[in-house]
Amino acid sequence: MASHMNQNQKTAQLHYEPLSTSAPTDAELASNRELEECMRESGLFESQEESILREEVLGHLDRIVKLWVTRISIARGYSAQVVKEANAKIFTFGSYRLGKYFFVVLHDMLLETPEVTELQPVPDAHVPILKFKFKGISIDLLYARLALWVIPEDLDISQESILRNVDEQSVRSLNGYRVTEEIVRLVPNIHTFRATLRCIKLWAKKRGVYSNVMGFLGGVSWALLVARICQLYPYAVPSMLVSRFFRVYAQWRWPVPVMLCQIEEGSSLGLPVWDPRKNPRDRSHLMPIITPAYPCMNSSYNVSNSTLRVMIEHFSTAVEVHTKIYLEIDIRANGQDDLRAWKGWVESRLRQLILKIEWHTHGVLQCHPHPCELVGMRKQQQGIQHNATFIIGLRRGKDGALIRKGQEIDLQRPVDQFKELINRYSDRKPGMAIYVSHKRKKSNAPSAAGLGGLLTHPRSKRVAETLVSQEMSKAAMYNSIVLSLSTPSQ
């Protein structure tokens, strides 16, 4: 396995020259104009008013973060001079740019800010994060602690030296911005890159494969895949790049890694980088997409056999396969705030259920989790209980031919193990519950009540039920499998 991966790595590193330097034809330019019009109709371009609001939100958030640092410095008894020099700085990355005190004191300050809604701390994530909306703008706030006494306003965190004496979680947080800066530097045309990425992200969300936490790909991974296509076709317009994207990755020989530049290994900082020759854990990665900033990491480490197969099928055929059998994970809580915290905990561990099902069935069953949960409310005797429902499609895997038609597969054990893991939540409150059951999609659209209660959707119930049906049809299934699982299972 190691020698296979070594050869794959060499193959990926030796081919950085473009596949084509041809300029777009008149027909391709016309096709690109049609694509731009379609993108506008889909709302992929931010209006001037939205841009102004986003700048206003970032400025307000920057003032809150600076006040947070001042309060912490005073509380820890620092001198007046140190308090005056204490500083924090917000760096933007991702689509916008393309410790203890953090999750307690800053969290409480944001909670007291009227403009902040849907505040959700996720301290146990691979990259700890505060998620919230500020005046309706979605914010993912990461924290990194630098080995600097003072944080200057003109701090450049793209420099490798900024990582010296920094803990592992801070390195991961800093690399969000650093990777974004490297992508901007490495793509031949930033404007065509951004336009193409918007299209691919929209496609991935429509196909239900946009979610790192579910074992698909997150924003960074999709950006890296698009950036590589831009390198291969430096003079192509977005309409051409979208077409080349699917053509290239439908034929990609995974686990050959996708890389924008060669991996830098000789840094004096000595931080671990992705290297299957030295790290046994890296050899198990199924779809390596390597970040270009030091220390180079695999941005797609969550991809499983099931999710890889689903993505390859979408790359290859772009044909929607309708759902026949699926798992429904219904979570409930007594209030919206409790549900938000409970949902974040469950969602961050859904991948464990997928891995347990794959392992327990020896690859016979593969899963297609749908990243978009359905949120609603249930009427209880004690009042209204809030709930959210996740959908995981099931289909026969590569060994699925071994299943006889009508053969029963017992999923009770992996589901019980998953629930046991979920119920260890340290902040669990009364009313927080989880139910897992298997369903079979009927020929007609399922009712909203049958999928976790009345959907709180601004449209009519008829439209809401149609939406549910569309969400269901995004997971791939076979209807010749009989699943054994108590219904519902708490």
Side-chain angles (χ1 to χ4, degrees):
M1 180 69 169
S3 61
H4 171 65
M5 286 298 294
N6 292 345
Q7 184 60 43
N8 286 341
Q9 189 176 13
K10 292 176 183 178
T11 301
Q13 290 181 340
L14 289 175
H15 294 86
Y16 287 100
E17 66 276 7
L19 292 179
S20 172
T21 58
S22 300
T25 64
D26 291 342
E28 288 167 338
L29 290 172
S31 175
N32 191 63
R33 288 192 290 271
E34 292 179 4
L35 176 64
E36 290 178 352
E37 183 60 31
C38 178
M39 291 167 65
R40 284 193 192 88
E41 293 176 356
S42 299
L44 295 184
F45 294 106
E46 191 174 58
S47 67
Q48 184 177 2
E49 291 77 11
E50 290 170 328
S51 298
I52 294 172
L53 176 60
R54 190 178 296 275
E55 291 291 339
E56 178 187 331
V57 165
L58 289 174
H60 195 157
L61 185 58
D62 185 65
R63 292 191 291 273
I64 292 175
V65 170
K66 284 177 166 56
L67 178 60
W68 163 62
V69 171
T70 299
R71 287 186 182 179
I72 292 300
S73 301
I74 294 173
R76 299 184 70 175
Y78 291 137
S79 67
Q81 182 63 29
V82 172
V83 171
K84 182 179 178 181
E85 294 177 348
N87 189 25
K89 184 169 176 59
I90 292 178
F91 290 88
T92 58
F93 64 92
S95 297
Y96 178 71
R97 179 66 177 85
L98 295 139
K100 171 185 173 182
Y101 295 107
F102 184 70
F103 286 105
V104 177
V105 180
L106 181 58
H107 171 273
D108 292 344
M109 291 175 65
L110 291 171
L111 198 61
E112 296 169 359
T113 304
E115 296 89 346
V116 172
T117 58
E118 300 181 24
L119 180 60
Q120 177 187 343
V122 191
D124 298 324
H126 187 65
V127 180
I129 190 172
L130 279 172
K131 302 169 72 71
F132 55 93
K133 288 186 177 180
F134 200 119
K135 291 186 176 181
I137 300 293
S138 295
I139 301 289
D140 287 351
L141 193 61
L142 286 66
Y143 171 73
R145 183 172 59 184
L146 304 182
L148 298 174
W149 187 249
V150 176
I151 305 294
E153 283 296 324
D154 59 351
L155 178 67
D156 182 7
I157 62 174
S158 64
Q159 298 299 315
E160 187 178 300
S161 58
I162 205 72
L163 303 177
R164 193 176 303 279
N165 299 321
V166 171
D167 62 79
E168 186 178 347
Q169 284 186 332
S170 292
V171 170
R172 290 197 291 264
S173 295
L174 290 167
N175 262 15
Y177 175 86
R178 288 163 49 78
V179 167
T180 300
E181 289 298 296
E182 281 296 287
I183 291 175
V184 171
R185 184 180 69 85
L186 291 168
V187 295
N189 186 315
I190 188 62
H191 301 293
T192 56
F193 163 74
R194 285 173 173 160
T196 307
L197 181 58
R198 285 192 182 103
C199 292
I200 295 301
K201 281 187 173 182
L202 177 62
W203 171 86
K205 290 173 182 178
K206 293 289 187 181
R207 293 295 181 272
V209 292
Y210 189 106
S211 174
N212 180 58
V213 72
M214 291 285 194
F216 293 109
L217 302 182
V220 172
S221 295
W222 288 114
L224 291 171
L225 291 181
V226 171
R228 187 70 186 106
I229 299 301
C230 291
Q231 288 181 331
L232 295 174
Y233 302 93
Y235 300 108
V237 291
S239 62
M240 295 169 58
L241 291 170
V242 169
S243 174
R244 301 299 191 276
F245 179 93
F246 297 115
R247 185 183 304 176
V248 168
Y249 292 120
Q251 303 175 49
W252 197 270
R253 300 194 308 277
W254 306 106
V256 172
V258 173
M259 298 187 290
L260 303 186
C261 58
Q262 292 198 13
I263 293 177
E264 181 182 350
E265 301 178 5
S267 171
S268 60
L269 298 180
L271 296 173
V273 299
W274 186 84
D275 188 348
R277 298 168 300 180
K278 300 177 182 178
N279 308 322
R281 183 174 169 183
D282 293 343
R283 296 173 201 157
S284 65
H285 292 171
L286 303 175
M287 192 182 188
I289 302 170
I290 311 304
T291 58
Y294 178 83
C296 299
M297 306 174 184
N298 178 21
S299 65
S300 52
Y301 55 87
N302 272 346
V303 171
S304 68
N305 283 301
S306 291
T307 54
L308 175 60
R309 181 181 182 116
V310 169
M311 285 186 283
I312 290 175
E313 287 178 347
H314 281 306
F315 289 151
S316 301
T317 65
V319 175
E320 195 85 15
V321 184
H322 291 279
T323 302
K324 298 298 181 182
I325 303 175
Y326 57 92
L327 283 183
E328 178 181 296
I329 297 93
D330 184 39
I331 60 173
R332 306 176 191 176
N334 287 339
Q336 288 185 344
D337 292 339
D338 285 356
L339 178 66
R340 190 175 299 114
W342 184 230
K343 180 170 71 72
W345 169 263
V346 174
E347 184 178 22
S348 68
R349 280 149 182 81
L350 275 179
R351 178 172 171 268
Q352 295 300 318
L353 175 58
I354 296 169
L355 295 176
K356 291 179 187 300
I357 290 175
E358 290 178 355
W359 182 86
H360 184 74
T361 63
H362 306 288
V364 166
L365 277 186
Q366 290 189 330
C367 307
H368 181 175
H370 197 274
C372 195
E373 78 277 2
L374 308 170
V375 181
M377 292 183 292
R378 286 179 178 273
K379 291 183 180 180
Q380 305 289 331
Q381 291 182 350
Q382 299 81 5
I384 298 294
Q385 189 175 42
H386 298 261
N387 73 288
T389 303
F390 296 95
I391 304 300
I392 297 182
L394 301 173
R395 62 165 296 163
R396 286 188 287 189
K398 61 182 179 180
D399 299 323
L402 300 177
I403 306 176
R404 298 187 304 273
K405 186 172 183 178
Q407 178 181 349
E408 184 175 281
I409 300 175
D410 189 359
L411 294 183
Q412 192 65 56
R413 185 173 180 181
V415 167
D416 286 343
Q417 292 174 348
F418 172 70
K419 290 186 298 175
E420 181 181 352
L421 171 66
I422 293 301
N423 288 328
R424 294 176 191 166
Y425 185 42
S426 58
D427 294 329
R428 189 175 180 187
K429 297 180 181 179
M432 290 183 176
I434 180 170
Y435 298 85
V436 182
S437 56
H438 71 265
K439 306 284 186 180
R440 182 179 296 275
K441 182 185 174 186
K442 299 179 181 179
S443 56
N444 59 328
S447 68
L451 292 170
L454 298 176
L455 293 179
T456 55
H457 197 279
R459 305 177 199 177
S460 66
K461 180 179 178 182
R462 178 184 59 80
V463 177
E465 290 182 351
T466 302
L467 176 64
V468 174
S469 179
Q470 291 172 347
E471 298 291 352
M472 292 301 198
S473 67
K474 293 176 182 176
M477 305 294 210
Y478 284 154
N479 60 1
S480 61
I481 304 171
V482 179
L483 301 179
S484 174
L485 176 65
S486 58
T487 308
S489 181
Q490 184 178 12

